[in-house]
């Protein structure tokens, strides 16, 4: 009766509603539709940017014009009309806020729905949150406590104003505008995002967190995040995303750059649940993100952890350039796709320094008619003596209409390099389900249990509160309408 | 507690159970013995409600209720437990989490709130002693990398946690050394009471030295062909299964 329990899984996984589908009714200020040099100038002027920033954007725009959209990822979607997107939207009132009470009530409502109300913040206690609604960062908390330690945590727009030299030094140093089509686009029109600087020898005392949300209709969201950890410092950064439910597709093309100096460590965690589209594949976010970190210094470490449950299309490869000797790169990923979602995600570990190590743990779960691909590159360059990579890519299939694909690329240019790769594809076993059922655990709960177990290695890398949220999201994504 | 009447069942067009009858009252321990391939595990799976079998004739009554159409979880909630011949691995799921889910699902089915953390932990501690499992063990992924003996002890531990009415043990003794056998048997004996019942499926009489049955049934070719007390097991041990076959031939 294999078919029967597969049917249960199919029903379970196809009738999920997006929990975050609402819009916030605040006055918005938009740029004109479409993209041109004028729009780039408009955005820069709106943000009152210095000349060098405008020049940088314009150069990126010129490069973008000459580039073509990549088509090598295992994704199928209609061509995006880049002239039908609004590249800038901001709430009209420009609040400079000192406490939660001053936040626009409509925005507060959004926060409530997102589950990040003031109470929640108190509960999370140790989380400083930078909330980005469309293009404008409207609220930053815990700033003072961080200031005392010399930690800078603010919006990238503010950083451009206040810490121009730092931004100028690092922006584009890890992901140059010309890196790819979307990074060039982002560089030209990025609206806001977060900036973090941890000074030498400082251990950031709390998790830094940004909650991104696409709100305005027809707006692309182009965040730009830059995190610099100076020598002997440590920071853990959390990024969470949701978007309102809309029929048309929304574009999201972020760039995240991380720089870790000598013995510094950056831990970057993402829980992404942008709107995935409905069960017929209508609507949903196109998520084309470039995330890259450089382990610049000796014994530095960068660790990416991501839980991807949302978006109609995800195209994302958080990567590490292991330049410093003895540096370490890690990538832990859970990607869940359902209905007509498509995910093409993975990582690149570029070993340049000697004795560098990297570890990749990727867990893909496909349900419905979705397609889920892991694409990874491990490259050991000629001077990277004694470098080592371990990769593990596991896929789990639910039902017979979905697909899992693994594309591990390995380039070893140094004899002493070692690369180990393990891969598996499984279905949730009949025997496992029966074993759970016999103990009184019903079909739905059994699937949760088995799936959570499958993802455990990744979840345990997440900060506690995030892990709980990730587990819930996974269950929502694979939810049964019954029970 | 359990009454099976004239049970016929098939898997993939092949008839395995051919008119099986058994009646188990509360407080009793029944042993089912029989050669390999005779349908013992099939019977256990059908009792537990595993998919893939077709019942063509007969009845399964649990506390007077026909359960043939119930799904396995419902039967578990009624108080039925199967200790598997081959316990299943679930990577990343600890025995602790597994048991918490099982207990809470059962409580939910009975309209009770989830068990409190403290009560649960105390229960875990008490029950793990019964089969001499240490704490570290309960945090490991269930059955993953467990030795044969550890798997079987874990099954009995789960049985102790869930406090079922009817416990079916499918070849719990196979592959156990004498120490593990003793631990498992002690565990089972300590759980025996006047309100529950045991159906112990085994190939060898060895286990029955430790778990002393009230009744011994010999199963052959899909049905119970002989029933007696514990002496029947000894006789079978001495004379071998060929004795049963030849006796049948004489009838
Ligand atoms: N999935 C199956 N498909 C076909 N035949 C099966 C299947 N499972 C068990 N059988 C057959 O059913 C018979 C009884 O098996 P089983 O119940 O495991 O016996 P026992 O536990 O007494 O050794 C055997 O002949 C076996 O080959
Ligand atoms: Mg058997």
């Amino acid at each position: 009766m294999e078919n029967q329990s597969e049917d249960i899984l199919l029903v379970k996984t196809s009738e999920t509603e997006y929990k975050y589908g609402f819009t916030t009714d605040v006055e918005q200020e938009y740029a004109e539709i479409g993209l041109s040099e004028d729009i780039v100038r408009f955005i820069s002027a709106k943000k009152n940017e210095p000349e060098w920033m405008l020049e940088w954007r314009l150069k990126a725009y010129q490069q973008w014009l000459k580039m073509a959209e990549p088509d090598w990822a295992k994704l199928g979607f209609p061509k995006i009309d880049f002239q039908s997107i609004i590249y800038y939207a901001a709430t009209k009132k420009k609040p400079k806020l000192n406490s939660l009470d001053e936040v626009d009530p409509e925005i507060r409502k959004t926060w409530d729905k997102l589950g990040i109300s003031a109470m929640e913040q108190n509960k999370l206690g140790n989380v400083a949150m930078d909330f980005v609604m469309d293009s404008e960062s409207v609220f930053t908390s815990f700033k003072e406590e961080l200031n005392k330690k010399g930690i800078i945590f603010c919006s990238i727009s503010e950083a451009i104003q206040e810490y121009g030299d730092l931004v100028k030094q690092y922006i584009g140093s890890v992901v140059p505008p010309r890196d790819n089509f979307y990074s060039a686009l982002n560089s030209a029109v990025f609206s806001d995002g977060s900036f973090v600087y941890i000074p030498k020898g400082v251990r950031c005392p709390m998790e830094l967190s940004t909650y991104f949300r696409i709100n305005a209709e027809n707006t692309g969201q182009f965040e730009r995040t830059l995190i610099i950890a100076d020598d002997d410092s440590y920071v853990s950064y959390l990024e969470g995303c949701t978007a309102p439910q809309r029929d048309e597709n929304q574009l999201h093309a972020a760039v995240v750059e991380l720089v870790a100096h000598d013995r510094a460590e950056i831990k970057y965690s993402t829980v992404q649940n942008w709107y995935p589209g409905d069960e017929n594949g209508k609507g949903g976010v196109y998520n084309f993100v470039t995330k890259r970190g450089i382990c610049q210094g000796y014994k530095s470490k960068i660790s990416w952890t991501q839980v991807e449950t949302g978006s109609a299309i995800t195209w994302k490869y958080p990567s590490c350039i292991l330049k410093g000797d003895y540096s370490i790169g890690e990538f832990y990923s859970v990607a869940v796709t359902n209905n007509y979602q498509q995910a093409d995600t993975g990582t690149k570990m570029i070993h340049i320094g000697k004795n560098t190590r990297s570890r990749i743990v990727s867990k893909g779960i496909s349900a419905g008619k979705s397609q889920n691909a892991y694409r990874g590159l491990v490259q050991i360059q000629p001077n990277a003596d004694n470098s080592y990579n371990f990769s593990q890519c596991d896929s789990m299939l639910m039902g017979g209409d979905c697909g899992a694909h693994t594309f591990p690329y390995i380039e070893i240019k140094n004899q002493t390099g070692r690369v180990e790769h393990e891969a598996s594809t499984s279905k949730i076993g009949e025997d496992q389900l029966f074993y759970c059922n016999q103990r009184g655990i019903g079909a739905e709960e059994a699937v949760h249990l088995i799936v959570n177990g499958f993802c455990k290695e990744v979840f345990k890398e997440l900060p506690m509160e995030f892990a709980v949220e990730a587990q819930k999201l996974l269950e929502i994504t694979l939810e049964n309408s019954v029970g | 507690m359990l009454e099976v009447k004239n049970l016929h069942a098939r898997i993939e067009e092949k008839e395995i159970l051919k008119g099986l009858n058994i009646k188990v009252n509360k407080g009793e321990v029944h042993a089912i013995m029989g050669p390999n391939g005779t349908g013992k595990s099939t019977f256990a799976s059908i009792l537990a409600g595993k998919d893939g079998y077709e019942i063509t004739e007969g009845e399964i009554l649990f506390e007077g209720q026909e359960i043939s159409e119930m799904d396995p979880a419902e039967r578990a909630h009624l108080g039925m437990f199967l200790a598997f011949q081959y316990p299943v691995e679930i990577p990343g799921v600890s025995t602790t989490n597994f048991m918490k889910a099982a207990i809470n699902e059962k409580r939910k089915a009975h309209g009770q709130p989830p068990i409190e953390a403290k009560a649960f932990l105390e229960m875990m501690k008490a029950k793990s002693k019964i089969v001499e499992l240490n704490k570290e063990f309960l945090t490991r992924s269930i059955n993953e990398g467990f030795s044969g003996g550890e798997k079987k002890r874990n099954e009995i531990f789960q049985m102790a946690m869930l406090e079922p009415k009817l416990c079916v043990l499918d070849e719990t003794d196979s592959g156990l050394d004498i120490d593990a056998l003793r631990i498992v048997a002690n565990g089972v004996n300590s759980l025996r009471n006047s309100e529950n019942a045991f159906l112990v499926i085994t190939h060898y009489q060895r286990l029955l030295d430790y778990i002393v049955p009230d009744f011994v049934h010999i199963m052959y070719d899909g049905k119970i062909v002989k029933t007696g007390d514990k002496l029947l097991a000894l006789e079978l041990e001495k004379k071998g299964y060929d004795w049963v076959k030849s006796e049948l031939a004489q009838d």
Side-chain angles (χ1 to χ4, degrees):
Chain A
M1 299 243 280
E2 173 135 45
N3 289 335
Q4 188 178 326
S5 59
E6 294 228 327
D7 286 348
I8 297 171
L9 293 181
L10 286 178
V11 175
K12 179 190 323 290
T13 52
S14 61
E15 294 180 19
T16 308
E17 274 184 61
Y18 188 65
K19 230 179 64 175
Y20 302 100
F22 51 85
T23 57
T24 305
D25 201 8
V26 284
E27 269 193 273
Q28 299 265 358
E29 194 177 7
Y30 298 97
E32 251 174 76
I33 198 164
L35 184 53
S36 65
E37 198 174 302
D38 283 347
I39 291 292
V40 177
R41 287 180 186 282
F42 170 83
I43 293 169
S44 188
K46 268 282 158 207
K47 298 186 154 294
N48 212 6
E49 286 178 351
E51 189 60 25
W52 65 265
M53 196 70 246
L54 174 63
E55 291 304 321
W56 194 82
R57 285 177 181 274
L58 287 172
K59 203 173 146 203
Y61 174 67
Q62 290 304 329
Q63 274 160 342
W64 178 74
L65 285 177
K66 287 182 229 135
M67 297 172 93
E69 268 178 273
D71 62 354
W72 46 268
K74 198 173 170 43
L75 306 170
F77 57 94
K79 251 194 136 27
I80 299 170
D81 179 3
F82 290 93
Q83 294 306 337
S84 70
I85 293 170
I86 296 169
Y87 287 86
Y88 181 84
T91 45
K92 242 187 193 146
K93 294 172 209 157
K94 287 227 166 167
K96 280 267 176 241
L97 302 171
N98 296 311
S99 89
L100 272 174
D101 298 337
E102 296 172 32
V103 177
D104 186 315
E106 280 294 331
I107 293 177
R108 283 293 291 278
K109 263 193 236 162
T110 306
W111 289 5
D112 289 345
K113 287 185 215 164
L114 285 172
I116 50 168
S117 60
M119 218 167 60
E120 184 88 356
Q121 287 198 22
N122 287 338
K123 205 176 75 194
L124 294 179
N126 239 16
V127 179
M129 201 171 272
D130 187 22
F131 187 87
V132 177
M133 169 101 69
D134 291 299
S135 312
E136 208 73 27
S137 169
V138 289
F139 186 76
T140 304
S141 57
F142 296 95
K143 229 169 179 172
E144 271 174 40
E145 193 181 340
L146 297 174
N147 277 345
K148 272 187 229 149
K149 296 206 169 236
I151 294 169
I152 304 169
F153 176 39
C154 62
S155 71
I156 192 94
S157 316
E158 193 181 333
I160 290 166
Q161 305 293 333
E162 308 281 328
Y163 312 100
D165 289 347
L166 272 177
V167 177
K168 199 171 171 180
Q169 183 185 345
Y170 288 104
I171 195 168
S173 70
V174 191
V175 180
R178 65 176 179 286
D179 186 81
N180 66 70
F181 183 81
Y182 298 106
S183 65
L185 179 63
N186 175 287
S187 301
V189 301
F190 75 85
S191 36
D192 218 331
S194 295
F195 178 81
V196 176
Y197 174 79
I198 315 288
K200 283 194 169 83
V202 171
R203 222 187 134 79
C204 186
M206 59 185 80
E207 318 267 2
L208 303 181
S209 165
T210 307
Y211 227 99
F212 287 116
R213 177 166 160 80
I214 300 180
N215 189 59
E217 230 159 317
N218 273 320
T219 55
Q221 175 134 334
F222 305 93
E223 306 103 32
R224 184 103 200 170
T225 294
L226 178 55
I227 299 176
I228 302 143
D230 217 327
D231 297 350
D232 301 290
S233 68
Y234 168 84
V235 62
S236 167
Y237 186 88
L238 317 179
E239 174 204 301
C241 334
T242 52
Q245 189 165 342
R246 294 185 192 288
D247 282 350
E248 69 277 25
N249 297 100
Q250 290 166 281
L251 176 63
H252 176 251
V255 170
V256 175
E257 297 178 279
L258 312 181
V259 182
H261 288 288
D262 287 354
R263 295 168 303 273
E265 180 177 349
I266 302 175
K267 201 170 156 53
Y268 192 105
S269 311
T270 308
V271 172
Q272 185 265 117
N273 64 326
W274 298 116
Y275 179 51
D278 67 13
E279 71 269 24
N280 299 313
K282 193 165 164 48
V285 170
Y286 291 170
N287 192 28
F288 302 136
V289 178
T290 308
K291 290 183 166 176
R292 192 176 302 153
I294 183 163
C295 284
Q296 184 75 47
Y298 174 77
K299 279 199 172 167
S300 54
K301 179 175 175 184
I302 288 177
S303 181
W304 298 100
T305 305
Q306 61 173 25
V307 176
E308 305 280 317
T309 66
S311 294
I313 297 175
T314 301
W315 181 91
K316 180 177 171 187
Y317 316 91
S319 302
C320 297
I321 300 170
L322 303 170
K323 195 163 168 221
D325 290 349
Y326 290 94
S327 60
I328 297 173
E330 292 176 339
F331 174 74
Y332 297 96
S333 171
V334 166
V336 190
T337 53
N338 194 1
N339 297 322
Y340 287 86
Q341 279 177 278
Q342 304 174 61
D344 196 294
T345 184
T347 186
K348 291 181 198 166
M349 293 290 174
I350 311 296
H351 293 255
I352 299 173
K354 299 186 195 338
N355 298 297
T356 48
R357 303 170 76 81
S358 61
R359 180 179 170 83
I360 297 169
V361 177
S362 164
K363 305 277 179 176
I365 301 165
S366 337
K369 294 184 163 51
S370 68
Q371 296 294 326
N372 200 325
Y374 168 82
R375 188 185 300 277
L377 169 67
V378 175
Q379 188 185 69
I380 297 195
Q381 295 203 350
N383 293 325
D385 296 345
N386 304 315
S387 290
Y388 172 69
N389 162 269
F390 173 77
S391 302
Q392 185 185 330
C393 303
D394 299 321
S395 309
M396 184 178 270
L397 298 169
M398 294 190 185
D401 295 334
C402 54
H405 317 271
T406 306
F407 306 99
Y409 302 96
I410 297 171
E411 296 171 13
I412 306 179
K413 296 169 184 163
N414 181 308
Q415 291 280 330
T416 62
R418 276 195 308 139
V419 172
E420 282 174 41
H421 182 88
E422 288 175 9
S424 75
T425 300
S426 57
K427 285 194 168 195
I428 290 189
E430 281 303 296
D431 287 348
Q432 287 178 331
L433 280 177
F434 177 59
Y435 192 62
C436 293
N437 293 162
Q438 203 300 307
R439 299 306 187 241
I441 303 168
E444 187 177 356
E445 189 61 28
V447 169
H448 290 167
L449 204 66
I450 294 166
V451 167
N452 277 326
F454 177 72
C455 300
K456 190 179 174 191
E457 274 173 280
V458 175
F459 286 165
K460 75 176 203 282
E461 294 298 321
L462 290 171
M464 190 58 172
E465 314 83 38
F466 240 38
V468 172
E469 184 180 348
Q471 240 173 54
K472 269 191 269 171
L473 278 174
L474 215 72
E475 287 174 11
I476 290 169
T477 308
L478 301 172
E479 196 168 68
N480 191 346
S481 54
V482 211
Chain B
M1 177 170 300
L2 176 74
E3 191 169 4
V4 177
K5 294 183 196 162
N6 191 31
L7 187 64
H8 290 253
R10 54 173 64 194
I11 183 163
E12 291 165 11
E13 304 304 308
K14 185 179 166 197
E15 184 159 58
I16 313 267
L17 300 186
K18 304 172 180 173
L20 189 143
N21 293 288
I22 194 168
K23 187 166 186 232
V24 179
N25 297 309
K26 63 184 188 178
E28 294 176 351
V29 174
H30 291 242
I32 296 183
M33 302 182 71
N36 279 329
T38 224
K40 302 185 297 294
S41 291
T42 302
F43 177 49
S45 297
I46 287 174
L47 280 181
K50 189 174 182 177
D51 273 348
Y53 301 94
E54 191 194 346
I55 295 176
T56 50
E57 226 185 304
E59 289 179 290
I60 307 173
L61 301 172
F62 185 71
E63 297 192 308
Q65 196 179 358
E66 170 60 66
I67 59 166
S68 304
E69 296 296 317
M70 281 186 189
D71 72 41
E74 280 178 274
R75 299 183 199 204
H77 298 156
L78 289 181
M80 192 179 273
F81 183 92
L82 171 61
F84 283 59
Q85 182 172 4
Y86 304 106
V88 180
E89 296 178 5
I90 309 178
V93 178
S94 66
T95 300
T96 303
N97 279 340
F98 187 66
M99 276 296 98
K100 202 193 249 157
I103 285 175
N104 284 337
E105 286 271 295
K106 183 175 176 185
R107 291 176 67 98
K108 198 162 87 188
H110 291 285
Q112 296 166 322
I115 189 168
E116 293 198 6
K118 190 158 170 273
F120 177 72
L121 289 175
E122 274 165 11
M123 192 172 171
M124 293 274 289
K125 210 167 144 188
K127 307 287 181 172
S128 56
K129 284 207 185 101
I130 293 176
V131 281
E132 301 174 29
L133 280 179
N134 62 25
K135 255 197 350 239
E136 170 263 342
F137 207 79
L138 302 172
T139 58
R140 279 169 53 184
S141 290
I142 192 158
N143 292 323
E144 205 179 34
F146 287 17
S147 72
E150 289 167 339
K151 283 182 184 169
K152 297 300 172 73
R153 274 153 67 191
N154 192 278
E155 293 291 289
I156 304 304
F157 164 72
Q158 292 180 45
M159 194 167 92
M161 289 292 287
L162 294 169
E163 299 173 338
K165 290 177 184 156
L166 177 67
C167 306
V168 181
L169 281 70
D170 189 4
E171 301 224 14
T172 300
D173 55 330
S174 64
L176 294 192
D177 61 30
I178 199 76
D179 289 333
L181 187 70
R182 187 185 46 77
I183 293 171
V184 162
N186 284 345
V188 170
N189 286 331
S190 73
L191 297 174
R192 283 174 77 162
N193 62 44
S194 59
E195 291 304 308
N196 62 17
F198 289 79
L199 197 56
V200 180
I201 295 171
T202 179
H203 190 69
Y204 302 103
Q205 100 86 25
R206 188 177 68 151
L207 178 67
L208 305 180
D209 288 341
Y210 296 89
I211 304 174
V212 181
D214 301 303
F215 299 92
V216 173
H217 308 273
I218 296 174
M219 185 165 169
Y220 183 74
D221 194 23
K223 48 181 182 269
I224 306 285
V225 293
K226 214 172 172 56
T227 295
D229 61 13
K230 63 183 178 194
L231 296 175
L232 179 60
L234 291 169
E235 193 177 358
L236 182 67
E237 177 91 339
K238 216 183 295 160
K239 299 184 179 168
Y241 284 113
D242 284 343
W243 162 63
V244 181
K245 279 185 222 171
S246 59
E247 276 216 339
L248 281 175
Q250 279 166 25
D251 287 349

